[in-house]
Amino acid sequence: MEEEYSFTHKEWPPVNVHSGPPDCVKCKYRTDVGLGWRCAAFPDGIPSEIIDNLVKHKKVLPGQVGKYVFKRRYFF
């Protein structure tokens, strides 16, 4: 059975708390281009929990568009 995610679930501890940049910086689905933190999954703005590295976007999350999850962007 697949686990459901909720940004407000009190028993769900932060996954990766650190001061480095979020994975969004390296994601191929990022589309912000001067509009703030946006992507294909969150066109109205990426949730702060993801930007603050409290949640890794490895699974489809509530409130997102489509089935986009983090996929590394390669700069060649």
Side-chain angles (χ1 to χ4, degrees), residues 26-38:
K26 302 172 279 188
C27 185
K28 75 178 273 178
Y29 299 117
R30 196 180 83 219
T31 60
D32 43 85
V33 189
L35 302 172
W37 290 95
R38 298 173 191 272

Side-chain angles (χ1 to χ4, degrees), residues 32-65:
D32 43 85
V33 189
L35 302 172
W37 290 95
R38 298 173 191 272
C39 69
F42 297 102
D44 294 326
I46 298 171
S48 61
E49 292 87 353
I50 295 173
I51 294 171
D52 293 339
N53 290 314
L54 299 176
V55 173
K56 291 293 188 182
H57 194 197
K58 294 182 178 184
K59 294 185 178 185
V60 175
L61 298 172
Q64 79 167 65
V65 174

Side-chain angles (χ1 to χ4, degrees), residues 4-38:
E4 286 189 33
Y5 290 98
S6 170
F7 290 128
T8 59
H9 197 281
K10 294 179 189 236
E11 294 178 18
W12 187 22
V15 176
N16 185 18
V17 179
H18 64 79
S19 60
D23 285 340
C24 305
V25 170
K26 302 172 279 188
C27 185
K28 75 178 273 178
Y29 299 117
R30 196 180 83 219
T31 60
D32 43 85
V33 189
L35 302 172
W37 290 95
R38 298 173 191 272

